[in-house]
Structure formats: C-alpha cells, structure tokens
Amino acid sequence: MAASDIVFGDKLNEGKTKIIFAARDKPGLVLIQSKDRITAGDGARAHDLEGKAQISTATTSDIFQLLNNAGIKTHFIRQQSEREFIARGCDMIPIEFVTRRIATGSFLKRNPGVPEGFRFCPPKLEFFFKDDANHDPQWSYEQIIAANMKFGGIEITATELDIICKTTVCVFEILERAWASIDCALIDMKIEFGVDIEKKEIVLADIIDSDSWRLWPSGDRRLMKDKQVYRELAEVTPEALEIVKKNFSWIGEKVKVLVEQKSRGRVVVLMGSSSDKEFGKKIQKQCLVFGIACVLRVTSAHKSPDSTLKIVAEYEGDGIPTVFVAVAGRSNGLGPVVSGSTTCPVINCPPLSGEWGPHDLWSSIRLPSGLGCSTVLSPEASALQAAQIFAVGDYVVWSKLRAFQLNTWIGLRRDDSACCN
C-alpha cells in the first residue's frame, strides 16, 4: 500500500451501487467504493455486472477531474484504487438536479404534446426529491425553498439554490462541449450536491458515470451508449448485459481522452520594449488561468519592422492556433503592423501612463482601413478576450472560461446576499 493511500474506517452509508466509508485518521474525508451492480426503476430491476465497479470508478474520477480542472468546486480528491476514490465528506442534499438539452424519456410522459427531440435553449432544469418509495417525485423551485432544508449547517435559501441551479447548468454545458468534441451528444444528465462538512460550502458531489446521463453518438438515439440500453431491455440475458458493459467501457475510454486533452492555443505577447515586461507578465498570468500557453517577445514595429515580421512568421508557420497581443505605448504601430501581416487575431493592449496616455490611445483605436485588431486597456482583459477567441473551437478553454464566469457570478450573488442580511 502506498504511503498516500487512505485506510477504510467505519461504513457510513450503503446504496444500491456504492458504499461510503469514513477515512481512518483523516477527518473530513471519505472513501467511495463502487459495486459490480446495475439497477433501474428505483431498484425494481437489478443485476450483478462484473467489472462495472472498475468502469464506474474510472469514469466518475475522470469526469470529476475534468470539472476540477475547469474550476468547478467538487468533493473529488483523487482515485485511490480500481474500485474506490477519495472525496471530501459531505452532508448530501436529497435532490437530483436534472438538466435537459433534448426532450426525451420521462419528460415526454410528464409533458404530453412536446415532441421527442425538442431542443431546450437554454437547457431545461428540473428537480426531483430522492425518495425511492415514491419514485423520486418532481419538486418545484418553490417547494425546495419552502422545505426549509438545512444540511451541514447551511440552510438552502434562495441564494444557495440559485447558486446550485447556476452550477448545475454550467456543469452540463461543460460536459456537453466536451462530448461534442468527439461527436457525441449529451442529451440530459442528473447530478447531486452536498455540503462539505469541514469547509461548510456546497459542492458538486456523489458519482457521475453512465447512470447519470443520456449519450447519443452523432446525436442518434439508436446509437445510445448509456444505461438507457439496460432500462429498455425486453429480456436481461448474459449477452445483453455484456453489451451494456461494453457500452460503459466505451464511455470510460472516451472520458479518459477528454480529461487528458490540453488547450491547443497559444498567446504571443509582443512588447515594444523590455520595460513592458511586468505588464506582459500580467497577461501571461491570466492566460494560465484559462490553460493557455503564453510567450513574451520584445520587438518594435518602428525600430525593427523586419524582426517583428520575422517573429510573426515564426509563430504563424508552426500550425499552433495563435493570438497576438501587442503591448506598445506612445505611437502604437505594433498592433496595426502585425494585424496587416497575419490572419491570426491581434489584440492591442497599450500600457497607458502619464499625461499623454489618453492621447496615445488613439494610435491603437484609429486604424487605417483594412485592419481589424481590437483594443483593450487591462492585461487581464486581453487574456480574457484571447480565451474567448480560442473557446469557439477548444472545449478545454471554453470550460475554464465558463467556470470563471460562473465563479464571478457566484461571488456577486453572495455579496448581494450579504448586503441584504
């Protein structure tokens, strides 16, 4: 056993497909162990499925790692073994938060007249109270608030529920983008939240695996790979269960590819002088927040135009998607010259200072015709704009950007709530 392994303590809870243990001598941590068991219909259909625990643990660990990398707060720490992962102990909120992009399944039964395939924009959010005996009844937003629920010392007020709802949709959209990158449509998914018993904050928790979503390769329902295949079996045979297992394995393999994917883009900061280096480092630091590589170069379009164009050609020619950020004060010829010499996006970010600063700005804004570089004034904003450019075709950057926006929204929501109390 590795020194970093955590030892099983007391059993805390056991469900249909997992067991939760306390981590011995590690207060606040738990071990979540998957079972070789598959169920449907609130347990009405249940079968042993050898190897499922390993597949489920790998899938959920990779999904949570992908979300952690993006900037979503989760209970996941790391995978410990083939069947267990380590997580922060949570007081679970007994609500399933379901996000739907496409109308199908139980939604059609509850909403007669809506055709299968109806697309929800924005995604549709629903709530279901966890109660197997009553088949997880649907709850409204107002019912959750009126229940005056309290978990881990935190009351589920409108503020907390709004944050959970916003996070739920964000999680769906991040995973939707990831799956779309390999031509697989995320149709809907369910997730759960809990209150971290030590940090006293609400985090994404439980398990996210093939029981959590509908996945349709190429958007074709006939090719579905999720647990719906098991639900729809007319007869559960060993051969049918093997197909279900192969589908789950396929999902696990694809998720592994998704979590290992890195951003393909690069920002090249061209500085008119070495005195702009500290300014450029601020851009570089913010780029790293979005997982974007960033390099700093010094060149002057006025004093060494041949060197400037050579540097541009160097980065244009290696096939890596690139955004140039021009950092030049006074008369900014750097951004316009680069813009006129490359098809890559160019962002002006002049380091304005002194009484001439407002006047210097005009050289970045008043461009000759035929040039299209934009202008922002803060180094953080230039990195943000570069991230938005890359996010169009790069789900890794998109996910970090989306989580960044979510966390900004959460901060403002909490500040507003604090002012009202």
Side-chain angles (χ1 to χ4, degrees):
M1 183 174 67
S4 60
D5 281 351
I6 290 179
V7 180
F8 286 91
D10 295 335
K11 182 193 291 188
L12 301 177
N13 197 4
E14 182 170 0
K16 296 186 289 289
T17 60
K18 65 180 180 292
I19 308 173
I20 302 174
F21 297 90
R24 187 181 302 170
D25 301 323
K26 296 286 184 179
L29 299 186
V30 296
L31 282 155
I32 300 180
Q33 183 184 76
S34 295
K35 298 180 182 180
D36 282 335
R37 190 75 171 161
I38 184 170
T39 68
D42 299 323
R45 169 175 283 189
H47 293 85
D48 291 332
L49 185 60
E50 185 179 357
K52 177 182 177 292
Q54 180 177 341
I55 298 168
S56 177
T57 300
T59 299
T60 200
S61 295
D62 286 337
I63 287 293
F64 273 118
Q65 190 60 61
L66 187 155
L67 294 170
N68 282 350
N69 292 345
I72 301 295
K73 290 184 178 181
T74 81
H75 73 153
F76 178 79
I77 296 178
R78 65 176 173 83
Q79 184 173 348
Q80 169 153 293
S81 70
E82 289 185 344
R83 295 169 64 100
E84 298 104 23
F85 67 90
I86 304 167
R88 300 197 62 81
C90 292
D91 190 3
M92 295 300 295
I93 300 169
I95 301 289
E96 286 185 346
F97 294 85
V98 177
T99 311
R100 303 182 187 277
R101 177 65 77 185
I102 302 296
T104 190
S106 65
F107 183 88
L108 301 179
K109 297 177 182 178
R110 290 181 284 106
N111 297 272
V114 178
E116 183 168 28
F118 183 91
R119 189 173 183 85
F120 300 110
C121 296
K124 183 78 170 177
L125 183 59
E126 296 181 309
F127 317 103
F128 297 88
F129 181 71
K130 288 174 66 66
D131 180 359
D132 282 351
N134 291 297
H135 307 293
D136 297 346
Q138 185 174 8
W139 276 24
S140 67
Y141 176 97
E142 293 75 18
Q143 282 176 295
I144 297 175
I145 298 298
N148 294 317
M149 294 186 291
K150 193 172 185 178
F151 303 96
I154 294 182
E155 184 180 353
I156 308 304
T157 63
T159 294
E160 301 303 335
L161 185 55
D162 287 347
I163 289 172
I164 291 173
C165 291
K166 195 83 169 178
T167 302
T168 298
V169 174
C170 181
V171 167
F172 177 87
E173 290 177 333
I174 287 173
L175 296 179
E176 180 184 41
R177 285 273 177 157
W179 281 111
S181 73
I182 54 173
D183 191 27
C184 190
L186 179 60
I187 304 304
D188 52 38
M189 72 176 297
K190 62 179 180 181
I191 57 177
E192 295 181 37
F193 292 82
V195 176
D196 186 318
I197 58 176
E198 279 200 332
K199 294 185 177 181
K200 302 299 180 184
E201 64 178 354
I202 296 175
V203 296
L204 179 64
D206 196 51
I207 284 177
I208 300 177
D209 63 3
S210 296
D211 185 27
S212 305
W213 49 37
R214 283 185 175 88
L215 287 170
W216 297 353
S218 302
D220 189 339
R221 189 186 190 282
R222 296 169 298 178
L223 304 177
M224 61 184 173
K225 297 289 187 179
D226 50 83
K227 201 176 81 170
Q228 191 64 25
V229 174
Y230 172 71
R231 295 188 186 100
E232 294 183 0
L233 288 175
E235 181 182 1
V236 181
T237 64
E239 294 76 18
L241 286 175
E242 189 61 28
I243 291 173
V244 172
K245 181 180 174 181
K246 286 181 179 179
N247 287 343
F248 288 3
S249 295
W250 181 90
I251 289 173
E253 291 166 3
K254 297 300 182 183
V255 169
K256 180 67 68 178
V257 172
L258 294 176
V259 76
E260 292 176 352
Q261 185 69 45
K262 305 297 181 184
S263 169
R264 303 184 303 275
R266 168 184 61 200
V267 169
V268 177
V269 180
L270 303 175
M271 301 173 292
S273 167
S274 60
S275 63
D276 298 323
K277 191 171 183 179
E278 290 305 311
F279 192 91
K281 284 183 176 179
K282 292 180 181 178
I283 299 174
Q284 190 175 52
K285 180 180 179 180
Q286 191 65 31
C287 283
L288 294 178
V289 171
F290 301 117
I292 303 170
C294 180
V295 296
L296 307 181
R297 300 294 297 267
V298 176
T299 185
S300 170
H302 289 107
K303 301 173 185 177
S304 56
D306 55 334
S307 295
T308 298
L309 297 181
K310 185 176 181 180
I311 289 172
V312 171
E314 174 187 337
Y315 291 106
E316 260 199 320
D318 63 7
I320 298 175
T322 299
V323 171
F324 291 99
V325 178
V327 177
R330 296 187 180 180
S331 177
N332 175 23
L334 187 55
V337 167
V338 172
S339 180
S341 306
T342 180
T343 57
C344 296
V346 179
I347 302 168
N348 289 317
C349 190
L352 304 179
S353 63
E355 62 178 312
W356 281 99
H359 303 284
D360 293 343
L361 179 60
W362 288 107
S363 63
S364 296
I365 297 176
R366 293 280 291 170
L367 304 177
S369 61
L371 301 180
C373 47
S374 59
T375 299
V376 297
L377 299 184
S378 78
E380 293 79 12
S382 67
L384 182 59
Q385 185 176 0
Q388 290 175 318
I389 292 170
F390 288 126
V392 172
D394 188 329
Y395 78 84
V396 176
V397 177
W398 193 95
S399 67
K400 291 179 181 291
L401 181 60
R402 187 71 179 84
F404 176 84
Q405 293 170 333
L406 169 69
N407 291 327
T408 298
W409 184 92
I410 290 174
L412 289 170
R413 187 72 173 86
R414 292 205 181 282
D415 288 345
D416 177 58
S417 179
C419 284
C420 294
N421 294 331

